[in-house]
């Protein structure tokens, strides 16, 4: 309820040098002055030093500042109390604030929700803020900041305005029923629908936004004993997986989250793939390895360099299509897909011949990195070789306002279905000259209704046309104090 004043500790739980408590709402100023009397004389946005009090008792020596509505984060009167960050101090100050009339503890994301409700930011910006707070890598941070800055909101608003523009054209047909046919058969109208549909179609194809936000997956696959777990450990910088000279050491999928140049990457080490095994546990491991590889954004195929097939005593640098397979154990086509694969030739330290820089496997050319996986510099070289693949998979998200959540895609899908229906109605109406009515509505009315629903769906993303339910869902994922 907006007429209540909310309070929460804005800094993370635990002990710190300073903790910040934030109050927002109509009673914030009164409650703030009650616990920090000096705020009474303070001009807005000026930090004051003084005593934090609970009645006659001094709680802390602290700093406080107030922001007058509407010039605050939430758009309401906001007070910030900066006290010492000990647990007992924070608890005592919080209790003193909560003892003030009409003050209660804030729910998850309630400060941000109030900011949205007072028009301080749209819903996509609020999501950007939540992402920024949670960002673990550079790419996530940059993307969240763009979304907070309104880039995604603008994209959706421009789509909504285009739908509303088309709706205005159709509504002209309602006002002038004699010209309805002419208006609905206007080629520019159909063109407007088609260009929106095409744009939405490609927006739904982009996965970059979600890949940067949620991270990419990388699967390490290859024959037993190739050095997959050694590679996993080199990339992780610690002994995540067991390495042994025995073939078939790794059975389960071993996962580890890493950051490569700011991209969040979930790396999976898998069981070695071989043609025949009677061991049921190994069979299950191989099945999991293939499933993991198929679902991965990037696949690293590890092969022992000694498994390369020689051609005239030399390894061909770019092996021609005719000499496939070039490896004794080539990867099954399903695991090493085009554009997302890197071949790592391990045990390069045991080879004297020059090794190829790329390999053609099953008609596709893959970059090759030959190295000694047990050597200290291996991780650096692996990261450098992986970066272009990761960037390509993330779609080089720099500068773009990608759809980052399922909620965004769902709205675009819904709007797309409505506009598609509008297009069908227009073309059907004009082709068959059947401007007759359905349920007593004129054709223009039916088209207009589809467009209104499309505009509504697009508007839910920014919060322009959002119901309480949508707000509840979005803010339920926020933490208290945000
Ligand atoms: N000399 C040398 N030895 C390596 C290299 N890479 C891995 N090894 C050794 O090869 C053996 C097998 O390595 P692992 O990393 O366990 O191989 P894997 O592919 O995980 O094997 P499985 O889990 O059984 O499928 C270990 O003894 C490693 O130390 C390399 O580049 N050079
Ligand atoms: Mg292993």
């Amino acid at each position: 309820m907006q007429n209540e004043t909310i309070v929460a500790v804005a800094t993370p739980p635990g002990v710190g040098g300073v903790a910040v408590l934030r109050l927002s709402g109509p009673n914030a100023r009164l409650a703030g002055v009650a616990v920090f009397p000096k705020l009474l004389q303070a001009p807005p946005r000026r930090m004051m030093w003084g005593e934090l009090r609970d009645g006659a008792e001094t709680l802390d020596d602290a700093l406080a500042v107030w922001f007058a509505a509407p010039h605050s984060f939430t758009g309401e009167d906001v007070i910030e109390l900066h006290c010492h960050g000990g647990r007992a101090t924070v608890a005592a100050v919080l209790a003193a604030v909560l003892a003030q009339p009409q003050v209660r503890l804030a729910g998850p994301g309630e400060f941000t929700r109030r900011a949205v409700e007072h028009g301080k930011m749209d819903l996509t910006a609020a999501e950007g803020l939540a992402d920024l707070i949670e960002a673990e890598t550079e790419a996530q941070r940059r993307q969240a900041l763009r979304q907070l800055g309104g880039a995604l909101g603008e994209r959706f608003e421009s789509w909504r305005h285009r739908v509303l523009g088309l709706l205005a054209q159709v509504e002209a047909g309602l006002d002038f029923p004699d010209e309805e046919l002419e208006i609905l058969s206007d080629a520019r109208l159909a063109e407007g629908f088609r260009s929106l549909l095409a744009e939405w179609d490609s927006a739904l194809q982009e996965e970059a936004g979600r890949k940067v936000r949620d991270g990419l997956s990388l699967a390490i696959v290859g024959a037993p004993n190739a050095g997959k777990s050694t590679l996993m450990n080199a990339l992780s910088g610690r002994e995540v997986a067991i390495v042994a000279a025995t073939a078939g050491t790794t059975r389960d999928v071993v996962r580890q989250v890493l950051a490569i140049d700011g991209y969040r990457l979930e790396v999976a080490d898998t069981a070695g793939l071989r043609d025949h095994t009677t061991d049921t546990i190994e069979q299950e491991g191989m099945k999991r390895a293939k499933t993991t590889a198929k679902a991965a954004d990037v696949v690293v195929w590890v092969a022992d360099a000694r498994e390369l097939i020689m051609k005239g005593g030399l390894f061909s640098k770019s092996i021609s299509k005719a000499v496939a397979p070039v490896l004794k154990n080539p990867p099954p086509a399903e695991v090493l897909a085009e554009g997302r694969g890197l071949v790592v030739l391990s045990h390069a330290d045991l080879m004297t011949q020059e090794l190829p820089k790329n390999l053609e496997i099953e008609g596709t050319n893959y970059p090759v990195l030959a190295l000694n996986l047990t050597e200290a510099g291996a991780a650096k070289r692996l990261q450098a070789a992986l970066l272009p693949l990761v960037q390509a998979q993330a779609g080089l998200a720099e500068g773009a306002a990608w759809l980052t959540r399922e909620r965004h895609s769902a709205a675009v899908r819904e709007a797309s279905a409505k506009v598609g229906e509008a297009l069908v109605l227009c073309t059907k109406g004009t082709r068959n000259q059947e401007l007759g009515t359905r349920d007593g509505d004129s054709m223009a009315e039916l088209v207009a209704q589809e467009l209104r629903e499309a505009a509504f769906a697009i508007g839910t993303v920014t919060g322009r046309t959002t119901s309480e339910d949508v707000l509840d869902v979005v803010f339920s994922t926020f933490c208290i104090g945000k």
Side-chain angles (χ1 to χ4, degrees):
M1 263 135 282
Q2 299 271 346
N3 56 1
E4 287 176 310
T5 295
I6 51 173
V7 63
V9 183
T11 39
V15 178
V18 175
V20 177
L21 279 82
R22 184 158 57 165
L23 287 82
S24 178
N27 246 26
R29 182 102 203 283
L30 269 180
V33 169
V35 296
F36 194 97
K38 249 197 160 171
L39 264 184
L40 191 60
Q41 308 135 35
R45 293 192 269 181
R46 176 85 54 84
M47 196 74 139
M48 299 292 275
W49 170 69
E51 272 189 351
L52 258 173
R53 310 184 64 88
D54 185 3
E57 192 190 354
T58 302
L59 296 177
D60 198 6
D61 206 22
L63 293 169
V65 60
W66 77 285
F67 303 88
H71 305 292
S72 71
F73 173 70
T74 58
E76 304 173 327
D77 276 354
V78 167
I79 307 276
E80 278 183 20
L81 303 170
H82 297 229
C83 61
H84 288 106
R87 283 197 182 91
T89 304
V90 173
V93 175
L94 187 60
V97 172
L98 281 170
Q100 301 306 314
Q102 277 142 51
V103 179
R104 66 162 169 83
L105 214 51
E110 207 172 355
F111 288 93
T112 315
R113 182 173 182 153
R114 288 187 178 197
V116 169
E117 284 168 352
H118 288 114
K120 286 282 166 178
M121 61 173 75
D122 75 21
L123 263 187
T124 60
E127 288 170 335
L129 180 62
D131 287 351
L132 184 64
I133 290 165
E134 309 243 315
E136 287 173 6
T137 72
E138 267 299 289
Q140 288 174 327
R141 184 186 66 75
R142 288 193 295 265
Q143 171 162 296
L145 200 62
R146 274 196 305 277
Q147 193 169 326
L148 173 61
L152 185 61
E154 281 164 25
R155 193 174 183 199
F156 273 87
E157 271 304 277
S158 90
W159 282 336
R160 200 173 66 91
H161 281 120
R162 278 164 63 188
V163 175
L164 292 177
L166 295 167
L167 175 62
Q169 287 182 43
V170 172
E171 279 177 336
L174 295 175
D175 299 335
F176 306 100
D178 297 345
E179 292 163 33
E180 190 180 24
L181 170 65
E182 210 175 312
I183 286 165
L184 291 185
S185 61
D186 189 332
R188 280 168 302 180
L189 190 63
E191 184 40 44
F193 292 154
R194 286 202 185 94
S195 86
L196 265 178
L197 288 171
E199 234 175 88
W200 285 340
D201 216 39
S202 65
L204 289 171
Q205 307 294 319
E206 334 166 318
E207 283 187 277
R210 238 175 300 161
K211 281 187 177 164
V212 170
R213 181 173 178 262
D214 302 337
L216 289 92
S217 53
L218 183 153
I220 306 170
V221 279
N225 250 353
K228 300 178 296 299
S229 301
T230 311
L231 190 152
M232 169 76 153
N233 293 348
L235 272 181
S236 314
R238 62 190 193 91
E239 304 298 303
V240 186
I242 300 173
V243 166
T246 330
T249 307
T250 309
R251 300 297 185 75
D252 280 320
V253 179
V254 180
R255 294 176 201 275
Q256 170 74 24
V257 174
L258 304 174
I260 290 189
D261 198 50
Y263 293 95
R264 184 185 191 276
L265 210 59
E266 191 188 78
V267 182
D269 176 25
T270 62
L273 299 177
R274 57 176 147 195
D275 286 343
H276 301 293
T277 175
T278 48
D279 185 333
T280 51
I281 300 170
E282 196 179 353
Q283 279 169 358
E284 178 59 27
M286 282 166 56
K287 203 172 110 195
R288 290 181 188 201
K290 285 184 187 168
T291 314
T292 307
K294 266 188 258 179
D297 296 307
V298 178
V299 176
V300 174
W301 179 266
V302 188
D304 191 324
R306 294 169 293 181
E307 296 243 309
L308 268 183
I309 296 165
M310 292 233 259
K311 196 183 152 202
L314 269 178
F315 295 113
S316 170
K317 273 188 206 162
S318 60
I319 291 165
S320 75
K321 279 180 194 170
V323 286
V326 291
L327 288 168
K328 279 184 197 145
N329 290 301
E334 72 223 72
V335 304
L336 198 57
E338 195 162 2
R340 59 184 187 109
L342 169 72
V343 175
V344 168
L345 293 176
S346 62
H347 298 81
D349 49 311
L350 304 179
M351 307 291 288
T352 49
Q353 300 91 332
E354 200 184 335
L355 297 170
K357 299 264 188 294
N358 45 63
L359 278 184
E360 193 168 302
I361 301 165
E362 305 273 340
T364 304
N365 213 20
Y366 295 98
V368 169
L369 177 67
L371 77 178
N372 173 4
L373 286 171
T374 62
E375 168 189 83
K380 263 221 162 96
R381 295 185 55 201
L382 279 165
Q383 286 184 1
L386 284 171
L387 188 58
L389 290 163
V390 169
Q391 284 176 333
Q393 287 301 310
L396 287 168
E398 300 310 313
W402 308 101
L403 277 54
T404 48
R405 292 179 196 228
E406 174 52 29
R407 193 176 80 80
H408 309 155
S409 308
V412 170
R413 276 196 297 272
E414 189 180 337
S416 203
K418 303 286 179 198
V419 169
E421 190 59 30
L423 180 63
V424 168
L425 283 169
C426 282
T427 42
K428 190 175 85 182
T430 55
R431 204 179 298 130
N432 301 346
Q433 307 284 303
E434 54 165 40
L435 279 171
T437 54
R438 204 165 75 184
D439 301 334
D441 283 331
S442 71
M443 190 63 85
E445 182 47 43
L446 295 175
V447 175
Q449 192 49 35
E450 297 293 344
L451 294 180
R452 280 183 212 115
E453 285 169 16
F456 186 90
I458 291 295
T460 59
V461 170
T462 55
R464 279 267 169 184
T465 52
T466 292
S467 62
E468 287 290 306
D469 303 355
V470 175
L471 290 176
D472 287 347
V473 170
V474 170
F475 289 105
S476 65
T477 61
F478 278 55
C479 314
I480 291 178
K482 308 261 163 61

